[in-house]
Amino acid sequence: MSKSRAGFLSLALIYAILIVTAVAVLYPIYWIVLGALNPGSSLFRTSMIPTGLTLDHFRALFAETDYLLWYKNTLFVATMNTILSTFLIVTAAYAFSRFRFPGRRQSLMVMLVLQMFPSFMGMIAIYILLLQLNLLDNLWGLILVYAGGSIPYNTWLVKGYFDALPKSLEEAAKIDGASNSYVFFKVMMPLSVPILTFVLVNNFIGPWMDFIFARLVLRSNENLTLAIGLFNMITGRSSTDFTKFAAGSLLVAIPVALLFLFLQRYIIEGLKAGANKG
Amino acid sequence: MGLGQIYNRQFVKGIGFALLELFALLAGARPFMHAMWGLVTLGETVQQRNARGVIVVQGDHSIMLMIEGIIFALLLLVFIGIYALNVRDAYVNGRMRDRGEKPRNIAESLSHAWEHGFAYILLAPAFVFVLFTIVLPLIFGISIAFTNYSGPNHLPPKNLVDWVGFETFVSLVKLKAWSRTFFGVLGWTVVWATLATLTTYFVGLFYALLLSHPRVRFKKFWRTLYILPWAVPGVISLLIFRNLFNGEFGPINQYLKLIGLDAIPWMSDPFWAKFAIILVNLWLGFPYWMALMSGVLTNIDRELYEAAEIDGADAFARFRSITLPLILYSTAPLMIMSFAHNLNNFNVIYLFNSGGPANPSYSYAGSTDILISWIYKLTLEQNKFNMASVVSIFIFVVVASFSIWNFRRTRAFKEEDLIQ
């Protein structure tokens, strides 16, 4: 009797903790949804119950700011960065994993060391280089910086994954007379879906989150990415922009969060592999 | 170059090499000498203006000369590499001829290169990218530390920049204004990284354990719910928190007032600002650990627990001697990487409170600034490029030692044929 009572109490405690945590986790999210959909511009409300439902803030967002342009820019940078860096990473990782050539060990060590430099260490140089190449305030400048920066870490990661794939398949294909490129595209690629997903998602989500380089490279309002645009919205001028900010945030957070939840498994596996380097 | 190939009767290849060398020597020699002069002197002519401020003499742009110098030095390395390739190629083909084999013609050479040099072809694009977007900026960034490139008196094109050796390193430690900021910011950086890592780690562990409790229902529901903070882009949640914690209008202070408490100066008091940042980071960071550890927990062999139970171990003893060691063991490398990441967690610091509140005893840093956000301010807001560069070198040394230590511990190093 007393034992089951203690069991009930501890279970009640567990559920109490779970529910309190759920509230703490959801509150900021709920608050931003409320800010985006509730009519009026009373910014900092304490009431948790919406007084109505409106899309006015979204209309204002599209009409009064360059939000759609920022969205388009971010999507463009993210897509191009994904294509470019995945290409660079996979080709390099394949070469390191499957070929033995002079300079291989040295290059791998160099990549390992490069990956440890904080990426902004070259910030000033990148700024001046882009300035000279006329790529400052240009989305391509940002794409090149992202793509270059993602190579060392991800190459190690993908190489580790390739190393673990059995060589016998490729050897069999080669005996049948397949060329290098055939082996690469038709044998290796299909086997590497999990790690490729991780690299693709990482490179795609990166530009949505990056603040430091985007702030450095992009200047004019119509060239901004979302992170910078949203930051300027609530730090720059009066805080009346808050409801627009809320609406804008929602439109970014929902697709990114869905993508993340959907591909969670690959992301967690990829992070583990990253820490153990294969 | 190319003579060896021609001697081996590979005329197309030989002429190709010869033309390349000729081009490099004719077109490259003068700019190369100029670039080296620029790299060494960083320019000699100061920009001159007349009384009305119109530029009379353009003068040398030290920073451009420096970058040019580094680019040419890298190109020289590439050229030396091609030269070595040329010598090796001539040698190999010479050996083939000595053995009485017929050397390949140009078409055969190309297809041979495609199949046997495939690795180099695959690596070439990544190599070029790494060279120009990482190596070049890094060399440049490190070089800056040894110059006086800083505002307001040494900013090209108006003024020249000079090499000053270790002067900047010395003033970071010796000059009161710099050293006070540096050690103050460094101290908080370490405290921040430690607390940020430990709080998220153990809170994550707590929820992973809670959710693995056999009597908790709807596990998947709770887990998905708690992963949300990780799924929402950090930039956005940080900006939301910036508003929630607003000292005057923020809802958090409004609630405190509603229940009769005083408002807390979250953003303007150093202690509360630090406290709030740790709290916000906890919200952002615990789902990561929870998700990872849930995975570890489900992989622990049930039989271990059953055996322990038979031996009379109570729940706490089972946790302490089975669960905890296994989790620590499998997450230790990630914890170290997370610490290194937090040392440089620019987004949390800068987006939440821009490093504020202002600290009058610091040079260009606020109370919650960590080294990386201080560097950012030094570079973008103050033009103190040389000092920023010295501090980044310091960060690199710290982060690199962590990573190398971590890397050597993991088995990758032993399995990989890097060290023999």
Side-chain angles (χ1 to χ4, degrees), chain B residues 220-266:
Chain B
K220 202 161 161 62
F221 163 77
W222 295 111
R223 205 163 285 154
T224 312
L225 197 69
Y226 293 169
I227 278 191
L228 278 178
W230 188 15
V232 175
V235 172
I236 293 190
S237 15
L238 283 164
L239 292 176
I240 296 174
F241 276 113
R242 195 185 178 107
N243 284 294
L244 285 177
F245 278 98
N246 186 301
E248 284 173 69
F249 319 104
I252 294 186
N253 272 351
Q254 307 271 3
Y255 292 132
L256 289 178
K257 276 183 209 157
L258 272 184
I259 56 171
L261 292 173
D262 284 338
I264 293 177
W266 296 110

Side-chain angles (χ1 to χ4, degrees), chain A residues 147-179:
Chain A
S150 72
I151 293 175
Y153 175 82
N154 287 299
T155 302
W156 262 95
L157 190 68
V158 178
K159 173 197 160 286
Y161 190 89
F162 283 168
D163 283 346
L165 292 177
K167 287 205 174 106
S168 50
L169 283 169
E170 297 154 66
E171 278 157 13
K174 283 216 168 156
I175 290 169
D176 292 346
S179 68

Side-chain angles (χ1 to χ4, degrees), chain A residues 134-161:
Chain A
N134 249 337
L135 285 172
L136 211 56
D137 199 18
N138 179 321
L139 294 176
W140 276 105
L142 196 60
I143 295 168
L144 295 180
V145 173
Y146 285 151
S150 72
I151 293 175
Y153 175 82
N154 287 299
T155 302
W156 262 95
L157 190 68
V158 178
K159 173 197 160 286
Y161 190 89

